[in-house]
């Protein structure tokens, strides 16, 4: 991977963080910024309450398969 590609992705993430007006918007913009350098099968992002460390908001692009949801929650909490 070319360093200029990484640099462009990093700059796009910085812009996303500066310009974001919502958690969902930030997650979508970051995903778009890094998709070319970090390929994924699925994508999600969360806002975390710093006092409790619980997810308070978030975004996922493909939905969550109901069959794996119990295991995901077990791992998360």
């Amino acid at each position: 991977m070319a360093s200029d590609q990484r640099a462009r992705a990093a700059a796009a993430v910085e812009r996303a963080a500066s310009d974001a007006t919502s958690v969902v918007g930030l997650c979508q913009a970051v995903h778009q910024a890094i998709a070319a350098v970090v390929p994924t099968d699925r994508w999600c992002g969360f806002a975390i309450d710093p006092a409790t460390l619980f997810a308070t908001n978030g975004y996922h692009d493909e939905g969550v398969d109901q069959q794996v949801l119990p295991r995901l929650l077990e791992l998360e909490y």
Side-chain angles (χ1 to χ4, degrees), residues 13-70:
V13 169
E14 287 182 21
R15 281 192 305 278
S18 294
D19 298 344
T21 59
S22 71
V23 170
V24 171
L26 174 62
C27 292
Q28 290 172 326
V30 169
H31 181 218
Q32 183 178 7
I34 67 171
V37 293
V38 182
T40 61
D41 293 327
R42 302 262 174 124
W43 171 264
C44 67
F46 294 98
I48 304 294
D49 177 354
T52 64
L53 299 181
F54 285 113
T56 58
N57 197 345
Y59 166 79
H60 52 85
D61 65 350
E62 296 282 334
V64 177
D65 185 340
Q66 295 299 310
Q67 294 176 345
V68 300
L69 186 57

